[in-house]
Structures are given as structure tokens and as C-alpha cells.
Amino acid sequence: MKNRKLIILSIVTLTVILAAGITSRLRAPQSAINKQVLFPELAVRINDVATVTVKGNKGTIVLQQQGEQWVLASSDNYPALFSRIKQNVVGMAELRIVDEKTDNPEFYDQLGVEGPEIEGTKSMLIKLQDKSGQTIAEVITGNKRQSSSNKPGLYARKPDTARALLVEGSLDISENPAHWFETHLFDISSAQVQDVRISYP
């Protein structure tokens, strides 16, 4: 009889423990359980990216791959800084969702995710496309903010969704063409220069 009561008590105790564990997981914020990648397919399609468009309130930058070189198609095909392009494409692939924020457009400006078409906004849209023009990934970037783990983060929103997000990661984008220019076209030491000639049309 005592053994039977002991078994029943053990079963009840185990059930309570399991129920408590399940409840705590359900109540825990999603970010504490798993930080989902914002663009799951981008990591395997990075090499397919052939056009990067950065749109701000004051202008649009179009970066395109031409053969082995990247150029600013929006600035007379001036050579573009590949290291910065690569940094941002990889950065987009590594963005992880930390928390869900508002889906009310009235509060977008507080996070900076209202979109580049709004006058005076600092938010920008970055879009990645393949050679056929198909969009691989695009996101509206907002205000920067440290994540709960003290890692770089920012507010973001996909253009086709209402929900704003806090994501972990960083992007270094600008609507200023000079931000993307390749400035080291030639690397020749002064000791090698013997003659300089300037020809006018």
C-alpha cells in the first residue's frame, strides 16, 4: 500500500515538474529560445548577388557587378569599393531577429523604419538582386541599438510586412556615392614616377 502511494506521488510530482517546464518555455520570449535568421536563404545565394540598391530619402545608389568588377551604375559606372559591398551583403545574411516590435505605421518613425519615401527620414532601403533582376533580399533599416547581449543591433522591417523588428547585426550603408567609391585605383610609389603628362581635349 505504501509503495503504491509512493508511486502515485512520484508520478504527480513528475507531472507537475514537466508542466512547469513547458509553461516556462511557452512564456519565455522567442528571442531567448532561438534567434532566427532574418533572411535564411541569403547565405547560400550570396554569390548570386549581382545588384545592390541603396535607397534613401535624398537619393539612390545602384551598385552592379560587371564581369569581375563592381561599379556604381548610378554614377557613370565608377569603380565601386568591393570590400564595403561584401561587408553589407554578408551583414544582411547574418542579421538575426531578437524581438518583434510594433506593426502600427504611426510608430514607425520612433524606430526609423517608416521607409525612404517619407520626407526627412533617415531610414534606408537596401535591396539585393541576382543577374535576372529577381530580388533575393530587401530590408528597410532604422535606428541603431545595442541588443540585449550588448551586440550591435538595429531596427528593421521588410517592405512587404507591417511588423518592425529588432535585429542583431550591423550594416554600413549610405545614399552618398562617395561612400562607395573605390579610391585606390592606382598604387604607384613616388620613386617609380619619372614623368607626368596631362593631355587636354
Side-chain angles (χ1 to χ4, degrees), residues 158-195:
K158 293 183 179 180
D160 58 349
T161 61
R163 179 70 63 183
L165 304 167
L166 172 61
V167 297
E168 184 178 280
S170 63
L171 297 174
D172 181 22
I173 59 175
S174 170
E175 59 189 314
N176 184 353
H179 183 90
W180 303 96
F181 286 158
E182 172 58 80
T183 57
H184 296 86
L185 297 178
F186 304 100
D187 189 9
I188 304 175
S189 67
S190 58
Q192 293 178 293
V193 178
Q194 296 181 351
D195 185 30

Side-chain angles (χ1 to χ4, degrees), residues 27-192:
R27 290 180 177 177
Q30 183 178 4
S31 59
I33 299 173
N34 182 29
K35 293 180 181 178
Q36 297 179 344
V37 177
L38 184 60
F39 299 107
E41 298 180 0
L42 179 54
V44 296
R45 296 200 63 193
I46 282 182
N47 292 331
D48 295 338
V49 177
T51 301
V52 177
T53 302
V54 179
K55 183 178 181 181
N57 183 247
K58 297 181 179 179
T60 301
I61 302 297
V62 180
L63 305 147
Q64 288 185 339
Q65 185 179 22
Q66 294 185 359
E68 299 297 321
Q69 187 180 30
W70 279 82
V71 301
L72 279 91
S74 54
S75 296
D76 299 322
N77 290 336
Y78 191 92
L81 191 60
F82 174 70
S83 60
R84 181 158 285 159
I85 296 172
K86 178 181 178 181
Q87 172 190 346
N88 284 284
V89 173
V90 173
M92 280 187 66
E94 293 178 344
L95 292 177
R96 290 182 175 273
I97 301 172
V98 176
D99 195 10
E100 293 186 343
K101 298 299 180 181
T102 183
D103 61 355
N104 187 341
E106 293 183 3
F107 300 121
Y108 283 168
D109 60 337
Q110 297 181 20
L111 306 180
V113 296
E114 60 269 42
E117 67 279 0
I118 304 300
E119 185 65 30
T121 183
K122 293 183 179 180
S123 66
M124 286 184 283
L125 170 71
I126 179 168
K127 178 165 64 175
L128 311 181
Q129 296 170 286
D130 61 18
K131 291 181 180 180
S132 67
Q134 178 185 7
T135 298
I136 300 175
E138 62 179 333
V139 65
I140 296 171
T141 63
N143 302 334
K144 294 182 180 179
R145 180 190 158 179
Q146 294 292 107
S147 68
S148 57
S149 56
N150 290 325
K151 293 183 179 180
L154 68 151
Y155 293 110
R157 181 174 63 86
K158 293 183 179 180
D160 58 349
T161 61
R163 179 70 63 183
L165 304 167
L166 172 61
V167 297
E168 184 178 280
S170 63
L171 297 174
D172 181 22
I173 59 175
S174 170
E175 59 189 314
N176 184 353
H179 183 90
W180 303 96
F181 286 158
E182 172 58 80
T183 57
H184 296 86
L185 297 178
F186 304 100
D187 189 9
I188 304 175
S189 67
S190 58
Q192 293 178 293

